[in-house]
Amino acid sequence: MHILLLGSGGREHALAWKIAASPLVTKLWCAPGNAGIAREAECVALDIADHAAVIDFCKRNAVELVVVGPETPLAAGIVDDLAQAGIRAFGPSKQAARLEGSKGFTKALCTEFGIPTGAYGRFTNAADALAYVRAKGAPIVVKADGLAAGKGVVVAKTLKEAEDAIAMMFDGAFGAAGAEVVIEEFLEGREISFFALSDGETAIALASAQDHKRVFDHDQGPNTGGMGAYSPTPFVTDEIHAEIMAKIILPTVDGMKTRGTPFRGVLYAGVMLTAEGPKLFEYNVRFGDPECQVLMLRMMSDIVPAMLASCDGQLKNFDLRWFPESALTVVMAAKGYPSEYAKGSVIQGFDEAAKVEGVEIFHAGTVAKNGAILANGGRVLNVCALGTTVTEAQARAYEAVDRIQWPEGFCRRDIGWQAVEREKAGKRLTL
Ligand code: AMP
C-alpha cells in the first residue's frame, strides 16, 4: 500500500514510525516532514494547504491512503477534496472537523444531544457578551469560537479579566476566529484527555494519555502546545472511562451521524471530572501532540487496518490491542519557547541517547543540514521511553535527555509526576 502522511511535528514522526512498521505498507511519504521523519518516510516538499497539489501527488504516485496529522488541513476540507478525487483519507470531513473548528458548534451539539457540558452563551457582539458575564460573574471562561492555535481561551478569575478578554476578541485579536465568542461556565475539577477512534457509526477508546501544558516544572509559566505526556494515566478509572464513552463519546458519534455529518478519525475530548460527573469542555479532531507519541509506543496492533476501518465504517468488530508497558515523552524545546526563540542551533548525542533501553526519539522541529541536525522550531524533540511502570519510563527518558547535547534547549524535569507519585504509593496504572 502507498501511504502519504501530512504534517511535520512530533505527532507525525510518531505516526510515521508506527505506519512504517505495518507489513501492509510498501511506500510511505510525508509532506512536508522533518529530519527525524526522513528516517521512516520519504519527505516531500508539498504545500499541504494546496489541496490540488496533494491530489496530483497522490495520483502520480498511486497513493491509496492519506493520513492527516494536524487540524488546519482537516478544517480546510482536505479529506472531502481527496474523497472527491477518489482518494481515501484518514480524518474527519470539513463538516465533522467543526467539532474542533467551532466551539459554538460543539456546545450546540451538546445541547441537542444531551451531552454533559458547562452552561454557556454564544455571542457575536461585545455588548451582549459583557452583559452575560456581568450577570454570571467570575470565574468564567471566554473562548474565541474558531481555531486560534491554542490561544483562544481565557480562564477569567475576575470579571475584569473576562471583560478584557471579550474586548480583545471582538477587537480582532484572533481575526475571524474571534468573530463569535463562546462564554462558558468555569468547570471545577480535574482535567483529563480522552481519545477515541470513530468510523462515523461507533467508536473505540484508545489507551489513556495525559499531557503537561505549562512550560515549567510544577505546572508554572504560560501554556504551551505540550511539554510532555505519559500513558497510562492515574485519573481515568474503569467507571469514569465507561461513563465518558456512554455519555460523551458515543452520543457525539450518534449526533454527528444523525445530523448527516458522520465523524471519522480521532476524537480527542477535553473533559473535566466535576463533582457532577465528567463534562466535556472541548473537542479536537486529531491526535494530541505529544500524547500521540506515547500512544504510538503503546499500540500493539497494526495502525493501518485501524485507520482503514475508520475510513470505511468497519470499526464495529475491531479490536485495538495495547502493550501493558507504560510510555512517557519529554519535550525538549528551544530556550525562550513558547515566546521568542532562535532556530538553527546544533543538536548532538542522538546515538548515545537512543542506546538507553526502551527509548525512541521523535523529532518535532528539526532540519538536517550538511550532516548535522539543527533545531527548527519551538518544540524540537520528543524523547520517549517505554518501561514497566511510568516511573521506569520516566527514568529512561531523562537518562536519554541527559545524553542529548543541546545547550540552546531545555525541558521540564517532572513529566509524569502525578503517575509517579501514585506508583510510589503502590497504585498500579492500567488503562
Ligand atoms: P482549550 O483551548 O479549550 O483546551 O482550553 C484551554 C484550557 O482552558 C483547557 O485546557 C482548560 O484547562 C481550560 N478550560 C477550558 N474550558 C474550561 C472550563 N469550562 N472550565 C474550566 N477550565 C476550562
Side-chain angles (χ1 to χ4, degrees), residues 158-409:
T158 63
L159 191 57
K160 170 83 169 61
E161 281 175 39
E163 290 171 347
D164 290 349
I166 289 166
M168 167 189 78
M169 288 181 195
F170 283 115
D171 272 352
F174 302 113
E180 180 175 335
V181 166
V182 172
I183 300 178
E184 195 178 56
E185 173 190 357
F186 174 79
L187 297 171
E188 217 157 328
R190 183 175 292 287
E191 179 180 339
I192 60 119
S193 300
F194 194 96
F195 293 89
L197 181 66
S198 177
D199 64 351
E201 297 281 330
T202 187
I204 51 179
L206 306 186
S208 65
Q210 190 65 46
D211 73 342
H212 294 265
K213 281 265 184 286
R214 301 297 187 110
V215 70
F216 300 128
D217 286 12
H218 313 299
D219 295 321
Q220 301 296 307
N223 264 331
T224 69
M227 294 300 291
Y230 59 98
S231 171
T233 69
F235 308 119
V236 180
T237 61
D238 288 350
E239 294 94 75
I240 295 172
H241 180 97
E243 199 176 353
I244 292 173
M245 279 306 282
K247 293 189 179 158
I248 297 177
I249 303 292
L250 293 173
T252 299
V253 171
D254 281 346
M256 293 297 283
K257 184 184 163 196
T258 303
R259 284 182 169 193
T261 53
F263 183 90
R264 300 188 187 92
V266 173
L267 255 187
Y268 157 6
V271 176
M272 201 69 82
L273 304 178
T274 74
E276 294 152 14
K279 290 190 181 179
L280 179 77
F281 64 82
E282 70 157 350
Y283 268 130
N284 297 295
V285 297
R286 31 79 194 177
F287 280 109
D289 182 350
E291 294 97 320
C292 182
Q293 287 82 316
V294 291
L295 290 174
M296 291 307 108
L297 281 183
R298 286 195 64 210
M299 189 182 283
M300 184 191 289
S301 306
D302 185 344
I303 196 170
V304 174
M307 288 173 161
L308 294 173
S310 161
C311 294
D312 297 345
Q314 297 295 328
L315 271 186
K316 196 162 143 229
N317 301 311
F318 210 87
D319 185 27
L320 269 180
R321 309 212 29 210
W322 302 90
F323 290 116
E325 281 85 1
S326 301
L328 183 136
T329 181
V330 177
V331 170
M332 296 186 77
K335 280 181 185 163
Y337 175 79
S339 309
E340 299 280 298
Y341 55 82
K343 289 183 180 178
S345 51
V346 178
I347 311 168
Q348 289 175 306
F350 286 100
D351 292 345
E352 281 310 302
K355 282 183 193 152
V356 179
E357 198 180 342
V359 162
E360 202 60 57
I361 299 171
F362 294 129
H363 292 216
T366 61
V367 64
K369 214 173 204 174
N370 304 326
I373 302 288
L374 309 182
N376 193 40
R379 292 188 295 167
V380 173
L381 295 177
N382 294 110
V383 181
C384 312
L386 280 167
T388 48
T389 56
V390 176
T391 307
E392 185 176 58
Q394 188 199 52
R396 288 172 169 179
Y398 280 115
E399 192 183 335
V401 163
D402 291 339
R403 294 183 185 195
I404 298 276
Q405 291 153 34
W406 183 33
E408 295 83 0

Side-chain angles (χ1 to χ4, degrees), residues 48 51 55 68 71-84 89 92-95 97:
I48 64 176
H51 298 186
I55 290 166
V68 187
E71 63 276 20
T72 309
L74 294 169
I78 196 158
V79 170
D80 312 63
D81 291 344
L82 285 162
Q84 234 172 27
S93 67
K94 183 173 184 166
Q95 281 307 314

Side-chain angles (χ1 to χ4, degrees), residues 4 6 31 45-61 63 66 73 76-87:
L4 170 66
L6 304 183
L46 265 179
D47 174 7
I48 64 176
D50 182 350
H51 298 186
V54 173
I55 290 166
D56 181 58
F57 179 88
C58 291
K59 289 196 164 156
R60 278 188 289 112
N61 293 285
V63 169
V66 176
I78 196 158
V79 170
D80 312 63
D81 291 344
L82 285 162
Q84 234 172 27
I87 301 156

